[in-house]
Amino acid sequence: MEEEEKYTRLEDNSAANEPIKSVEGWIVYVSGIHPEAQEDDIYDMMSEYGKLKNLHLNQDRRTGSNKGYALGEYSEVEHAKDAIKGLNGFKFLGKELKADFAFKHPV
Amino acid sequence: MEGEEFYLRYFVGHRGRYGHEFLEFEITSNGRLRYANNSNYRSDGLIRREVYVNDIVIDDIKRMVEESEILNQDDSRWPDHGSAGRQELEIKSGNEHICFVTSKIGSFNDVQQSHDPAGMRVLT
């Protein structure tokens, strides 16, 4: 269908068993974040595995607490893999975190 | 949670001096996330992007939908969409299916002044 063609996708150069790269790096999604956690805490925690290019800890504009998830971007895929391994199941402020690559190959 | 049908779509837009300006995103259970944004401002056109997200993202969106209790709300007393623009929120989750339509919200004060501030607070 022509309609399908109009949505631009990420360039997919990586092998099927390797994570897909976003525009400039690899995006790690972390869930289970305590609502009172601060961006600095998450930045420090995720920087343990390599240099972070970008971090988003989105907040609820009414309550001021975060939404319970963070998106971190690493330039090196190995750093992202280490972060996922290290953060998955890690307890932070009494809550168990989950971590994985945010994006996958089209299905 | 696994295997159950899930669909979420959000639209916000209005017609004005830059044509039909809108932003829409939708996400389906297989992880397909689509985003569209249109504006004729400075001869901009329609932008459409598509990515596939992992289960961790879908599961977290389901959590947010559940915790917000949006599926238990009702848009019958929410403001009609007028010249200021419209918002739509459609969610299919298991056997439940909602599609709310209301006006754009400029500030939290609009929510307080509406006929259903408690319900509309969930939407925002």
Side-chain angles (χ1 to χ4, degrees):
Chain A
M1 243 180 5
E2 197 190 332
E3 185 75 4
E4 300 293 312
E5 303 301 317
K6 291 179 184 163
Y7 283 84
T8 312
R9 288 182 173 180
L10 287 171
E11 252 181 78
D12 196 356
N13 297 323
S14 51
N17 59 347
E18 281 295 314
I20 186 168
K21 193 185 181 189
S22 184
V23 182
E24 290 179 49
W26 280 268
I27 314 289
V28 174
Y29 190 98
V30 183
S31 62
I33 292 177
H34 191 284
E36 303 305 322
Q38 300 296 308
E39 197 169 297
D40 288 357
D41 306 332
I42 306 300
Y43 188 89
D44 292 345
M45 184 176 77
M46 294 189 78
S47 297
E48 296 271 324
Y49 305 95
K51 196 177 180 306
L52 266 186
K53 281 187 78 150
N54 253 310
L55 175 66
H56 287 280
L57 180 68
N58 290 338
Q59 299 197 330
D60 186 311
R61 279 182 284 177
R62 187 195 316 280
T63 64
S65 54
N66 75 65
K67 295 273 194 186
Y69 69 90
L71 289 155
E73 181 178 15
Y74 294 92
S75 328
E76 304 296 329
V77 68
E78 291 307 321
H79 294 166
K81 286 181 183 175
D82 288 347
I84 290 164
K85 236 178 274 169
L87 295 175
N88 217 351
F90 183 74
K91 265 205 168 171
F92 182 69
L93 299 177
K95 287 195 69 179
E96 201 168 298
L97 302 176
K98 278 188 183 171
D100 203 351
F101 287 101
F103 303 126
K104 65 178 182 182
H105 295 277
V107 289
Chain B
M1 299 254 274
E2 287 291 310
E4 206 175 61
E5 193 201 354
F6 182 78
Y7 173 81
L8 185 148
R9 181 180 63 86
Y10 175 75
F11 167 95
V12 59
H14 70 273
R15 288 173 199 278
R17 58 192 290 209
Y18 300 114
H20 187 203
E21 292 190 284
F22 68 86
L23 179 160
E24 183 173 51
F25 60 85
E26 64 160 32
I27 187 153
T28 46
S29 331
N30 66 353
R32 192 188 73 187
L33 171 66
R34 285 181 154 185
Y35 167 83
N37 185 349
N38 189 57
S39 172
N40 297 334
Y41 180 65
R42 295 194 172 189
S43 316
D44 242 358
L46 183 59
I47 295 166
R48 288 204 260 203
R49 296 284 183 271
E50 178 180 276
V51 288
Y52 282 76
V53 296
N54 261 322
D55 288 349
I56 189 172
V57 181
I58 302 280
D59 289 346
D60 214 27
I61 292 170
K62 287 180 181 169
R63 169 192 64 87
M64 287 184 260
V65 166
E66 208 167 297
E67 286 180 1
S68 72
E69 299 188 13
I70 188 77
L71 294 172
N72 303 327
Q73 305 305 319
D74 178 342
D75 68 348
S76 59
R77 293 191 303 145
W78 294 2
D80 279 340
H81 61 90
S83 54
R86 67 190 271 145
Q87 296 188 88
E88 296 174 18
L89 178 69
E90 181 175 4
I91 302 173
K92 281 185 222 171
S93 184
N95 299 324
E96 294 183 272
H97 185 187
I98 57 134
C99 187
F100 297 151
V101 181
T102 186
S103 63
K104 274 217 254 185
I105 297 165
S107 70
F108 287 139
N109 195 44
D110 296 350
V111 172
Q112 290 307 329
Q113 302 303 321
S114 76
H115 297 292
D116 181 21
M120 287 197 68
R121 214 170 284 143
V122 175
L123 174 71
T124 59

